[in-house]
Short mmCIF file of all heavy atoms in Angstrom, two decimals:
data_model
loop_
_atom_site.label_atom_id
_atom_site.label_comp_id
_atom_site.label_asym_id
_atom_site.label_seq_id
_atom_site.Cartn_x
_atom_site.Cartn_y
_atom_site.Cartn_z
N VAL A 413 7.70 -4.14 -11.95
CA VAL A 413 6.33 -3.60 -11.84
C VAL A 413 6.03 -3.19 -10.41
O VAL A 413 5.37 -2.18 -10.18
CB VAL A 413 5.22 -4.58 -12.32
CG1 VAL A 413 5.20 -4.67 -13.83
CG2 VAL A 413 5.32 -5.92 -11.68
N LEU A 414 6.54 -3.96 -9.47
CA LEU A 414 6.33 -3.63 -8.07
C LEU A 414 6.93 -2.27 -7.73
O LEU A 414 6.28 -1.41 -7.12
CB LEU A 414 6.96 -4.72 -7.19
CG LEU A 414 6.83 -4.59 -5.69
CD1 LEU A 414 5.38 -4.53 -5.27
CD2 LEU A 414 7.54 -5.75 -5.00
N GLN A 415 8.16 -2.07 -8.17
CA GLN A 415 8.83 -0.81 -7.85
C GLN A 415 8.21 0.36 -8.60
O GLN A 415 8.10 1.46 -8.06
CB GLN A 415 10.32 -0.92 -8.16
CG GLN A 415 11.03 -1.82 -7.15
CD GLN A 415 12.53 -1.86 -7.35
OE1 GLN A 415 13.04 -1.44 -8.39
NE2 GLN A 415 13.23 -2.37 -6.35
N GLN A 416 7.79 0.11 -9.82
CA GLN A 416 7.13 1.18 -10.58
C GLN A 416 5.83 1.59 -9.92
O GLN A 416 5.51 2.77 -9.81
CB GLN A 416 6.86 0.72 -12.02
CG GLN A 416 8.01 1.06 -12.95
CD GLN A 416 7.82 0.48 -14.33
OE1 GLN A 416 7.04 -0.47 -14.51
NE2 GLN A 416 8.53 1.03 -15.30
N HIS A 417 5.09 0.58 -9.48
CA HIS A 417 3.83 0.85 -8.80
C HIS A 417 4.09 1.66 -7.52
O HIS A 417 3.38 2.63 -7.23
CB HIS A 417 3.14 -0.47 -8.47
CG HIS A 417 1.86 -0.32 -7.73
ND1 HIS A 417 0.75 0.25 -8.28
CD2 HIS A 417 1.53 -0.64 -6.46
CE1 HIS A 417 -0.22 0.26 -7.39
NE2 HIS A 417 0.22 -0.28 -6.27
N GLY A 418 5.12 1.26 -6.78
CA GLY A 418 5.47 1.98 -5.57
C GLY A 418 5.84 3.43 -5.88
O GLY A 418 5.40 4.36 -5.20
N LEU A 419 6.62 3.60 -6.94
CA LEU A 419 7.04 4.94 -7.35
C LEU A 419 5.85 5.81 -7.71
O LEU A 419 5.74 6.96 -7.27
CB LEU A 419 8.00 4.83 -8.54
CG LEU A 419 8.48 6.13 -9.17
CD1 LEU A 419 9.14 7.05 -8.14
CD2 LEU A 419 9.44 5.86 -10.33
N GLU A 420 4.92 5.25 -8.47
CA GLU A 420 3.73 6.02 -8.85
C GLU A 420 2.93 6.41 -7.62
O GLU A 420 2.38 7.51 -7.55
CB GLU A 420 2.86 5.21 -9.82
CG GLU A 420 3.38 5.25 -11.25
CD GLU A 420 2.82 4.11 -12.11
OE1 GLU A 420 1.69 3.66 -11.82
OE2 GLU A 420 3.53 3.66 -13.04
N GLY A 421 2.88 5.51 -6.65
CA GLY A 421 2.19 5.81 -5.40
C GLY A 421 2.82 6.99 -4.69
O GLY A 421 2.12 7.89 -4.21
N VAL A 422 4.13 7.01 -4.63
CA VAL A 422 4.83 8.10 -3.97
C VAL A 422 4.62 9.41 -4.73
O VAL A 422 4.39 10.46 -4.13
CB VAL A 422 6.34 7.80 -3.82
CG1 VAL A 422 7.09 9.00 -3.28
CG2 VAL A 422 6.55 6.61 -2.90
N GLU A 423 4.65 9.33 -6.04
CA GLU A 423 4.43 10.54 -6.85
C GLU A 423 3.03 11.11 -6.60
O GLU A 423 2.85 12.32 -6.48
CB GLU A 423 4.62 10.23 -8.34
CG GLU A 423 6.09 10.08 -8.70
CD GLU A 423 6.32 9.49 -10.09
OE1 GLU A 423 5.37 8.92 -10.67
OE2 GLU A 423 7.47 9.59 -10.59
N ARG A 424 2.07 10.22 -6.53
CA ARG A 424 0.69 10.64 -6.24
C ARG A 424 0.62 11.32 -4.87
O ARG A 424 -0.03 12.35 -4.70
CB ARG A 424 -0.20 9.40 -6.27
CG ARG A 424 -1.60 9.59 -5.78
CD ARG A 424 -2.41 8.31 -5.92
NE ARG A 424 -3.59 8.36 -5.08
CZ ARG A 424 -3.65 7.96 -3.82
NH1 ARG A 424 -2.57 7.43 -3.23
NH2 ARG A 424 -4.76 8.06 -3.13
N GLU A 425 1.33 10.73 -3.90
CA GLU A 425 1.35 11.28 -2.55
C GLU A 425 1.93 12.69 -2.52
O GLU A 425 1.42 13.57 -1.84
CB GLU A 425 2.21 10.35 -1.67
CG GLU A 425 1.92 10.41 -0.20
CD GLU A 425 0.84 9.44 0.24
OE1 GLU A 425 0.30 8.71 -0.63
OE2 GLU A 425 0.53 9.42 1.45
N ARG A 427 1.97 14.85 -5.00
CA ARG A 427 0.99 15.78 -5.61
C ARG A 427 -0.09 16.15 -4.60
O ARG A 427 -0.47 17.31 -4.47
CB ARG A 427 0.34 15.14 -6.84
CG ARG A 427 1.23 15.09 -8.07
CD ARG A 427 0.41 14.78 -9.33
NE ARG A 427 -0.30 13.50 -9.24
CZ ARG A 427 0.25 12.31 -9.57
NH1 ARG A 427 1.50 12.26 -10.01
NH2 ARG A 427 -0.45 11.21 -9.46
N ARG B 329 -6.74 -8.93 -4.40
CA ARG B 329 -7.74 -8.00 -4.89
C ARG B 329 -9.01 -8.06 -4.05
O ARG B 329 -9.57 -7.02 -3.68
CB ARG B 329 -8.07 -8.27 -6.36
CG ARG B 329 -8.98 -7.21 -6.95
CD ARG B 329 -9.17 -7.34 -8.45
NE ARG B 329 -9.63 -8.69 -8.82
CZ ARG B 329 -9.91 -9.05 -10.07
NH1 ARG B 329 -9.76 -8.19 -11.06
NH2 ARG B 329 -10.30 -10.28 -10.33
N LEU B 332 -8.57 -6.15 -0.91
CA LEU B 332 -8.62 -4.69 -1.08
C LEU B 332 -10.02 -4.22 -1.42
O LEU B 332 -10.39 -3.10 -1.09
CB LEU B 332 -7.62 -4.27 -2.16
CG LEU B 332 -6.17 -4.40 -1.73
CD1 LEU B 332 -5.22 -4.10 -2.89
CD2 LEU B 332 -5.85 -3.50 -0.56
N ARG B 336 -12.00 -1.44 0.46
CA ARG B 336 -12.63 -0.34 -0.27
C ARG B 336 -14.05 -0.12 0.21
O ARG B 336 -14.48 1.02 0.44
CB ARG B 336 -12.62 -0.66 -1.77
CG ARG B 336 -13.13 0.44 -2.65
CD ARG B 336 -13.06 0.05 -4.12
NE ARG B 336 -13.87 -1.15 -4.40
CZ ARG B 336 -13.93 -1.74 -5.59
NH1 ARG B 336 -13.20 -1.28 -6.61
NH2 ARG B 336 -14.67 -2.80 -5.77
N ARG B 340 -15.45 3.24 1.89
CA ARG B 340 -16.55 3.99 1.29
C ARG B 340 -17.60 4.31 2.33
O ARG B 340 -18.08 5.44 2.42
CB ARG B 340 -17.16 3.21 0.13
CG ARG B 340 -16.35 3.36 -1.14
CD ARG B 340 -16.93 2.58 -2.30
NE ARG B 340 -16.11 2.79 -3.49
CZ ARG B 340 -16.08 1.99 -4.55
NH1 ARG B 340 -16.85 0.90 -4.57
NH2 ARG B 340 -15.33 2.27 -5.59
N GLN B 359 -10.52 10.11 2.20
CA GLN B 359 -10.73 10.11 0.76
C GLN B 359 -9.46 9.74 0.02
O GLN B 359 -9.47 8.96 -0.93
CB GLN B 359 -11.21 11.50 0.29
CG GLN B 359 -12.71 11.62 0.28
CD GLN B 359 -13.18 13.03 0.00
OE1 GLN B 359 -12.43 13.99 0.15
NE2 GLN B 359 -14.44 13.16 -0.39
N HIS B 360 -8.36 10.29 0.50
CA HIS B 360 -7.06 9.97 -0.10
C HIS B 360 -6.77 8.48 0.03
O HIS B 360 -6.31 7.84 -0.91
CB HIS B 360 -5.98 10.80 0.59
CG HIS B 360 -4.60 10.54 0.09
ND1 HIS B 360 -4.19 10.87 -1.18
CD2 HIS B 360 -3.53 9.95 0.69
CE1 HIS B 360 -2.93 10.51 -1.34
NE2 HIS B 360 -2.51 9.94 -0.22
N GLY B 361 -7.05 7.95 1.21
CA GLY B 361 -6.86 6.52 1.43
C GLY B 361 -7.72 5.69 0.50
O GLY B 361 -7.26 4.72 -0.09
N LEU B 362 -8.95 6.11 0.35
CA LEU B 362 -9.88 5.40 -0.53
C LEU B 362 -9.39 5.41 -1.98
O LEU B 362 -9.37 4.38 -2.65
CB LEU B 362 -11.27 6.04 -0.44
CG LEU B 362 -12.35 5.49 -1.36
CD1 LEU B 362 -12.53 3.99 -1.18
CD2 LEU B 362 -13.68 6.21 -1.14
N GLU B 363 -8.95 6.57 -2.43
CA GLU B 363 -8.44 6.65 -3.80
C GLU B 363 -7.23 5.75 -3.99
O GLU B 363 -7.06 5.13 -5.03
CB GLU B 363 -8.07 8.10 -4.15
CG GLU B 363 -9.29 8.95 -4.50
CD GLU B 363 -9.02 10.45 -4.39
OE1 GLU B 363 -7.85 10.86 -4.57
OE2 GLU B 363 -9.98 11.19 -4.08
N GLY B 364 -6.39 5.67 -2.96
CA GLY B 364 -5.23 4.78 -3.02
C GLY B 364 -5.65 3.33 -3.18
O GLY B 364 -5.07 2.60 -3.99
N VAL B 365 -6.65 2.93 -2.44
CA VAL B 365 -7.12 1.54 -2.52
C VAL B 365 -7.74 1.27 -3.88
O VAL B 365 -7.51 0.22 -4.49
CB VAL B 365 -8.12 1.24 -1.39
CG1 VAL B 365 -8.72 -0.14 -1.58
CG2 VAL B 365 -7.45 1.32 -0.03
N GLU B 366 -8.49 2.25 -4.38
CA GLU B 366 -9.09 2.08 -5.71
C GLU B 366 -8.02 1.92 -6.78
O GLU B 366 -8.14 1.07 -7.67
CB GLU B 366 -10.00 3.28 -6.03
CG GLU B 366 -11.31 3.21 -5.26
CD GLU B 366 -12.11 4.51 -5.33
OE1 GLU B 366 -11.54 5.56 -5.72
OE2 GLU B 366 -13.30 4.48 -4.97
N ARG B 367 -6.98 2.70 -6.67
CA ARG B 367 -5.85 2.60 -7.60
C ARG B 367 -5.21 1.21 -7.52
O ARG B 367 -4.88 0.60 -8.53
CB ARG B 367 -4.84 3.69 -7.23
CG ARG B 367 -3.53 3.62 -7.94
CD ARG B 367 -2.62 4.77 -7.54
NE ARG B 367 -1.23 4.48 -7.87
CZ ARG B 367 -0.37 3.88 -7.06
NH1 ARG B 367 -0.76 3.51 -5.85
NH2 ARG B 367 0.86 3.64 -7.45
N GLU B 368 -5.06 0.73 -6.30
CA GLU B 368 -4.47 -0.58 -6.05
C GLU B 368 -5.30 -1.68 -6.71
O GLU B 368 -4.75 -2.61 -7.31
CB GLU B 368 -4.40 -0.81 -4.54
CG GLU B 368 -3.37 -1.81 -4.08
CD GLU B 368 -2.00 -1.21 -3.84
OE1 GLU B 368 -1.83 0.03 -4.03
OE2 GLU B 368 -1.10 -1.97 -3.48
N VAL B 369 -6.61 -1.56 -6.61
CA VAL B 369 -7.49 -2.57 -7.21
C VAL B 369 -7.35 -2.57 -8.73
O VAL B 369 -7.25 -3.63 -9.35
CB VAL B 369 -8.96 -2.32 -6.79
CG1 VAL B 369 -9.91 -3.20 -7.61
CG2 VAL B 369 -9.14 -2.60 -5.30
N ARG B 370 -7.31 -1.38 -9.33
CA ARG B 370 -7.14 -1.29 -10.78
C ARG B 370 -5.83 -1.93 -11.21
O ARG B 370 -5.78 -2.68 -12.19
CB ARG B 370 -7.15 0.18 -11.23
CG ARG B 370 -8.52 0.82 -11.24
CD ARG B 370 -8.52 2.14 -12.03
NE ARG B 370 -7.56 3.11 -11.49
CZ ARG B 370 -7.83 3.96 -10.48
NH1 ARG B 370 -9.03 3.96 -9.92
NH2 ARG B 370 -6.91 4.81 -10.07
N TRP B 371 -4.78 -1.66 -10.45
CA TRP B 371 -3.46 -2.20 -10.76
C TRP B 371 -3.48 -3.73 -10.72
O TRP B 371 -3.00 -4.39 -11.64
CB TRP B 371 -2.45 -1.64 -9.76
CG TRP B 371 -1.04 -2.13 -9.89
CD1 TRP B 371 -0.19 -1.91 -10.94
CD2 TRP B 371 -0.31 -2.90 -8.93
NE1 TRP B 371 1.02 -2.50 -10.68
CE2 TRP B 371 0.99 -3.11 -9.47
CE3 TRP B 371 -0.60 -3.43 -7.68
CZ2 TRP B 371 1.96 -3.83 -8.77
CZ3 TRP B 371 0.38 -4.13 -7.00
CH2 TRP B 371 1.64 -4.33 -7.54
N LEU B 372 -4.10 -4.27 -9.68
CA LEU B 372 -4.19 -5.72 -9.55
C LEU B 372 -4.99 -6.33 -10.70
O LEU B 372 -4.64 -7.40 -11.20
CB LEU B 372 -4.81 -6.09 -8.20
CG LEU B 372 -3.86 -5.92 -7.02
CD1 LEU B 372 -4.62 -5.94 -5.70
CD2 LEU B 372 -2.79 -7.01 -7.02
N SER B 373 -6.04 -5.65 -11.10
CA SER B 373 -6.86 -6.16 -12.20
C SER B 373 -6.04 -6.25 -13.48
O SER B 373 -6.15 -7.22 -14.24
CB SER B 373 -8.08 -5.27 -12.42
OG SER B 373 -8.94 -5.38 -11.30
N GLU B 374 -5.19 -5.27 -13.70
CA GLU B 374 -4.29 -5.31 -14.85
C GLU B 374 -3.35 -6.50 -14.77
O GLU B 374 -3.17 -7.25 -15.74
CB GLU B 374 -3.43 -4.05 -14.91
CG GLU B 374 -4.01 -2.91 -15.71
CD GLU B 374 -3.08 -1.70 -15.67
OE1 GLU B 374 -1.88 -1.84 -15.97
OE2 GLU B 374 -3.56 -0.61 -15.27
#
Side-chain angles (χ1 to χ4, degrees):
Chain A
V413 286
L414 181 58
Q415 288 185 345
Q416 270 173 340
H417 178 67
L419 176 56
E420 281 161 29
V422 173
E423 284 168 344
R424 170 178 162 271
E425 204 89 359
R427 285 194 301 274
Chain B
R329 188 172 54 178
L332 290 174
R336 185 179 61 184
R340 279 179 179 159
Q359 269 172 341
H360 178 67
L362 176 56
E363 281 161 29
V365 173
E366 285 168 344
R367 171 178 162 270
E368 203 87 0
V369 170
R370 284 194 302 274
W371 178 65
L372 285 165
S373 293
E374 269 179 53

